Amino acid sequence: MRKTQLAQLKSILQEYPQTPRILAEIREKIFNPYIEEDTNIGGSRGQLNPDKDVNKILTIADNRRFKRLTLNAEGVKYTLEQSPEWVQELIKLMYFKRSPMGITKACDFVACNYRTAKKYHDDFLERLADQLGI
């Protein structure tokens, strides 16, 4: 696996715990946009389609960042579910904590040796890359 792919996977894993909050922010910005108060008294109607809900749904469907975050979250969740429990804990310690650990320190917490942890960690990243199409 190339370094850029590895860095991209690590970035996706580190962003995974914040994904629901980010998706909620995107939805909030689309459904409740900031509209500056019109100081022009009188005038014509706006250029927007009267059916605003349809416009909002189409905007979410077209939002690339929303789609990418959703696909990444589903891929990480699926790959975690397919892994043994101790590998899930290893990944959580390495990527999901506020102060992430290195693999050397994390393998002590899950009670396995470094080589086994490294092998399963690399296997996890490979399966995640296949799942996400990287």
Side-chain angles (χ1 to χ4, degrees):
M1 185 179 303
R2 289 183 284 178
K3 287 183 181 181
T4 56
Q5 293 171 329
L6 187 62
Q8 185 178 6
L9 287 174
K10 289 181 179 182
S11 171
I12 289 169
L13 284 169
Q14 289 170 348
E15 191 177 53
Y16 177 71
Q18 289 87 21
T19 301
R21 180 186 52 80
I22 296 170
L23 292 175
E25 286 176 3
I26 292 172
R27 272 191 224 103
E28 181 67 26
K29 285 180 184 176
I30 290 173
F31 283 118
N32 299 317
Y34 172 74
I35 299 173
E36 193 171 326
E37 185 177 332
D38 186 14
T39 58
N40 182 13
I41 298 174
S44 65
R45 296 183 65 181
Q47 299 293 329
L48 296 176
N49 185 354
D51 194 4
K52 294 178 183 176
D53 291 336
V54 172
N55 286 338
K56 292 175 183 177
I57 292 170
L58 291 176
T59 306
I60 282 185
D62 294 339
N63 193 320
R64 288 183 183 176
R65 185 167 184 232
F66 189 86
K67 281 188 212 176
R68 176 50 50 196
L69 284 172
T70 305
L71 290 175
N72 288 348
E74 290 172 0
V76 171
K77 183 179 178 184
Y78 177 79
T79 310
L80 276 173
E81 289 173 352
Q82 301 301 318
S83 301
E85 286 185 34
W86 70 270
V87 174
Q88 292 176 17
E89 187 62 31
L90 180 77
I91 297 299
K92 287 176 185 174
L93 289 170
M94 290 180 66
Y95 298 106
F96 300 165
K97 295 286 183 183
R98 187 172 294 254
S99 58
M101 299 179 184
I103 192 165
T104 311
K105 193 171 183 180
C107 68
D108 292 337
F109 281 96
V110 295
C112 81
N113 62 13
Y114 174 79
R115 282 201 185 263
T116 306
K118 181 73 173 154
K119 178 181 152 196
Y120 277 89
H121 174 262
D122 292 344
D123 179 57
F124 175 83
L125 290 178
E126 287 289 332
R127 288 187 292 122
L128 181 61
D130 289 341
Q131 185 68 29
L132 296 178
I134 296 176

